[in-house]
Amino acid sequence: MAYREEDMEILENIEAVIVAVYRHNPKMIDFTVMNALDAAIKHYRAEEHGSQERIAELSQSEEEVYKAIRGVCDWRLGFSTELDFPELDVTETPERIIYCLKTLQGSVKKAGREGDRQGYLKFISRFL
């Protein structure tokens, strides 16, 4: 998926927390990010449809990335004020958050085609 200009701020917020976890755990690989993104998409789809969320089985590092992603997405959705960021004027929709998460999944997949298990993480960490 291509980045839409109107989603750049959300994408940057999510990538910033991913990079923060990566810097804390430099052995983390792109597959970890992919699983955390997938779990977050499933969470927000269930929430969007008012259905029961199926708990994903995640490794410890996947769980750490997932919680970071959820924290920033919940903040963007207006569900959380725990993050130390300025107040948002507008809260996002679950559909838009899911779109952004899928966009990032596409970026991780694309980076993985290069054969480097940390290709995505190395690439985005240069900019954040």
Side-chain angles (χ1 to χ4, degrees), residues 4-51:
R4 298 185 311 196
E5 185 64 35
E6 64 267 22
D7 296 324
M8 289 304 292
E9 189 176 318
I10 300 167
L11 294 166
E12 288 171 359
N13 289 160
I14 298 169
E15 286 186 324
V17 297
I18 292 170
V19 167
V21 175
Y22 172 55
R23 288 186 175 140
H24 183 261
N25 180 7
K27 293 186 181 195
M28 188 170 85
I29 59 174
D30 293 351
F31 187 73
T32 302
V33 176
M34 185 62 83
N35 285 342
L37 288 167
D38 188 55
I41 290 168
K42 287 177 183 174
H43 169 79
Y44 290 112
R45 276 192 181 143
E47 194 168 275
E48 183 180 34
H49 294 104
S51 60

Side-chain angles (χ1 to χ4, degrees), residues 47-60:
E47 194 168 275
E48 183 180 34
H49 294 104
S51 60
Q52 190 75 329
E53 176 188 359
R54 208 177 101 234
I55 306 286
E57 297 229 1
L58 301 173
S59 69
Q60 183 178 349

